[in-house]
Amino acid sequence: PAGILSGGRTQCGRSRRTAGASLLHAVTFTLTKMARGGIYDQLGGGFHRYSTDDEWLVPHFEKMLYDNAQLARTCLHAWQVTGEPFFRRIVEETLDYVLRELTSQEGAFYSTQDADSEGVEGKFFLWTPAEVAGLLGEEDARLFSGYFGVTQRGNFREGGPGSNILHVRRDAAVVAADLGVSEQRLQEAIDRGRKVLFEAREGRVRPGLDDKVLAEWNGLMLHAFAEAGAALGRPDYVAAAQRNAAFLLGKMTPSVDGRTRLFRTYKDGRAHLNAYLEDYAAVGLGLLALYQVTFEPRWLRASIDMAETLRRDFSDPAHGGFFQTGADHEALIARRKDFVDSAVPAGNSLAAELLLRLALLLDRPDWAEEARGVLGLMADALGEQPLAFGRLLGALELAVNPGHEIAVIGDPADQATVALLAEVHRRFLPTSVVAAAAPGDPIATQVTLLAGRELRDGRPAAYVCRNYACRLPVTEPAELGAQLAG
């Protein structure tokens, strides 16, 4: 699924600017087919690694942290743009799966859930008609199987006779009419069936778990939890993001000679291996997203530390861009630069995005210029092979079409402040940044966007700016929404 991730987000932004309904349809149609296919776990949530066919039916059943982090954000953005409850459900089921299956007691996110159990790929996820009937009874099994494509023939021969991957090929209204029941009756059977089969599946031999912790992948998932927590009003997601950030900074980020260092991997209580460019950049973006949700200065300071380290230790002042390895890394035959966005984003794509976002927040045009250096190196390739640079195109969008700089001043505990921030977070604003603080908070000396901002008539106020030229402050969410829409 990684091929459409960042490009999907960029297309959503483009469709907002140009009213390109066809672009939005391309993104939402693809996401819907994926989420209704066998590549998505219809009972437990979360996406498998990739599809082996062109219908999203038969997956490789492994579940990767990075796929689910990026797809959760993409579906979240689809919900913000369309308001469709379906996309919200997929986001929540996916993140709930990660909390249930891929989160350690320390708050770290594990890497992978295996494809195999008992030596058979996908066995944990497969169902026969007899199993479904035995759990649901004849009538509910008929309805459930009709909706999720369970047949005597099966659709996954490698799993044995009659093995079925649950998937949704037809809309509920069509299935209900075909089976001669009301859509409500069908939905009752679907809801009950998902619950009963999930509980039964919990008793099966589980797929293996790769419990190593990788900095880059954790940064991607930290970003997803922080952003989704704010947009969906899920404080448990924000809490998960905070625990993960505390883990990364406490267990994987030592201070060496007064400089921030990040380790690449952590397992069995030990962090080791020098981190790469993509680790620093992904963690930096995750921390920045968490700051823009909680507005706790420690997360912003940590994000700035990541950016300063990658600028100091990974940059190529002579030719532009960033090396994948730091200046103090072990000597290699060649010190390469990574630009191609594949299953995970390239380090240069993430670094450019991090610097551009911090530049908007802190008024650091020099950092923006460094990010544009990455884009300049790849200018020809971006036009010739755009599918190879989905995340980098997102950084280009941020560079050439920056959105709003939004400052909110007010007591964080004041419901009026909360309402203003909720108006921001529920919207799809992929090229905007937001900062908030109580009146007189010293963070304003560091975050230029907050400098000089005051309450309005004693009430929490929001300032919507472009290039630090701000409109009149507003105190009502509706007024703020009108300015953001404009």
Side-chain angles (χ1 to χ4, degrees):
I4 69 160
L5 297 176
S6 298
R9 286 194 291 272
T10 301
Q11 284 191 346
C12 280
R14 184 177 167 197
S15 70
R16 297 278 287 188
R17 293 202 316 277
T18 64
S22 62
L23 292 177
L24 180 59
H25 174 72
V27 176
T28 56
F29 180 84
T30 303
L31 289 174
T32 298
K33 291 297 184 182
M34 291 173 68
R36 289 172 56 158
I39 193 173
Y40 183 73
D41 182 353
Q42 300 295 334
L43 299 184
F47 288 86
H48 298 293
R49 189 171 188 177
Y50 55 79
S51 177
T52 64
D53 57 36
D54 59 2
E55 297 182 0
W56 306 107
L57 172 59
V58 180
H60 176 47
F61 286 91
E62 194 173 13
K63 289 182 178 178
M64 311 298 295
L65 184 70
Y66 59 77
D67 277 333
N68 284 287
Q70 295 175 96
L71 276 166
R73 284 192 67 214
T74 303
C75 289
L76 176 69
H77 296 163
W79 173 77
Q80 288 174 313
V81 172
T82 67
E84 290 291 337
F86 173 80
F87 292 118
R88 175 173 183 147
R89 175 171 72 82
I90 300 303
V91 174
E92 292 183 313
E93 288 178 357
T94 298
L95 295 181
D96 289 348
Y97 156 74
V98 173
L99 289 178
R100 187 179 68 246
E101 305 282 351
L102 295 180
T103 304
S104 77
Q105 292 183 347
E106 297 175 290
F109 300 126
Y110 297 136
S111 294
T112 313
Q113 186 182 51
D114 290 346
D116 300 356
S117 54
E118 301 182 80
V120 178
E121 177 167 353
K123 184 173 183 179
F124 183 76
F125 304 98
L126 301 174
W127 296 91
T128 65
E131 289 174 322
V132 175
L135 289 166
L136 301 183
E138 182 178 346
E139 177 59 14
D140 269 16
R142 181 178 78 91
L143 302 180
F144 184 91
S145 298
Y147 183 72
F148 283 109
V150 178
T151 66
Q152 291 295 334
R153 179 180 180 181
N155 55 33
F156 187 62
R157 62 184 180 184
E158 290 84 350
S163 294
N164 288 271
I165 304 166
L166 301 185
H167 67 291
V168 180
R169 193 179 295 273
R170 299 183 296 166
D171 291 340
V174 175
V175 175
D178 187 48
L179 297 177
V181 298
S182 68
E183 192 172 347
Q184 180 180 353
R185 174 67 183 94
L186 175 64
Q187 192 61 52
E188 290 171 354
I190 292 169
D191 293 342
R192 173 175 172 261
R194 290 183 74 211
K195 183 176 184 295
V196 171
L197 265 65
F198 175 79
E199 291 175 352
R201 197 179 75 174
E202 289 293 280
R204 293 178 173 179
V205 176
R206 308 186 71 79
L209 178 70
D210 181 351
D211 62 356
K212 70 174 175 292
V213 178
L214 296 177
E216 177 193 13
W217 299 5
N218 271 247
L220 295 173
M221 188 56 78
L222 164 60
H223 197 159
F225 269 106
E227 193 172 343
L232 303 178
R234 289 287 300 262
D236 56 330
Y237 290 171
V238 177
Q242 290 174 308
R243 290 184 64 226
N244 182 254
F247 170 85
L248 291 170
L249 297 179
K251 300 290 188 179
M252 297 184 69
T253 313
S255 179
V256 179
D257 298 329
R259 295 181 174 184
T260 297
R261 287 289 186 270
L262 179 65
F263 285 126
R264 167 70 173 175
T265 186
Y266 176 96
K267 183 174 169 62
D268 298 329
R270 176 174 174 254
H272 65 117
L273 301 180
N274 291 333
Y276 295 99
L277 172 66
E278 55 265 31
D279 297 306
Y280 280 98
V283 171
L285 281 167
L287 291 165
L288 180 57
L290 183 57
Y291 165 72
Q292 292 186 102
V293 169
T294 65
F295 304 104
E296 294 182 37
R298 58 174 172 158
W299 308 131
L300 177 61
R301 287 194 292 266
S303 179
I304 292 171
D305 284 346
M306 295 292 164
E308 289 181 334
T309 298
L310 69 85
R311 291 179 61 245
R312 180 186 61 241
D313 295 342
F314 292 84
S315 66
D316 180 1
H319 303 99
F322 297 90
F323 295 107
Q324 189 177 25
T325 56
D328 60 350
H329 199 89
E330 63 183 287
L332 302 174
I333 296 174
R335 196 178 175 199
R336 65 188 294 266
K337 297 176 183 177
D338 184 19
F339 293 97
V340 176
D341 297 313
S342 185
V344 291
N348 271 278
S349 302
L350 295 171
E353 182 180 342
L354 176 61
L355 292 178
L356 287 166
R357 292 192 181 280
L358 285 172
L360 286 172
L361 199 65
L362 307 176
D363 193 20
R364 290 294 304 266
D366 54 328
W367 287 18
E369 191 60 30
E370 287 186 59
R372 291 190 188 96
V374 175
L375 297 168
L377 286 175
M378 302 307 294
D380 291 338
L382 286 170
E384 294 170 358
Q385 301 183 48
L387 292 181
F389 303 103
R391 191 65 179 254
L392 192 58
L393 284 169
L396 175 64
E397 173 85 357
L398 182 60
V400 302
N401 189 51
H404 307 288
E405 303 104 30
I406 306 161
V408 177
I409 299 299
D411 183 343
D414 190 326
Q415 285 305 304
T417 306
V418 173
L420 289 172
L421 290 171
E423 184 67 27
V424 175
H425 286 138
R426 74 176 183 82
R427 294 174 174 272
F428 179 63
L429 302 169
T431 60
S432 295
V433 294
V434 58
D441 192 318
I443 190 65
T445 62
Q446 187 173 17
V447 181
T448 308
L449 182 57
L450 295 172
R453 313 298 180 203
E454 299 176 347
L455 299 175
R456 185 180 187 187
D457 300 327
R459 301 173 62 190
Y463 297 76
V464 177
C465 316
R466 281 188 184 273
N467 297 319
Y468 284 79
C470 302
R471 303 180 69 174
L472 290 174
V474 295
T475 58
E476 295 295 332
E479 295 175 315
L480 175 57
Q483 289 192 1
L484 294 175

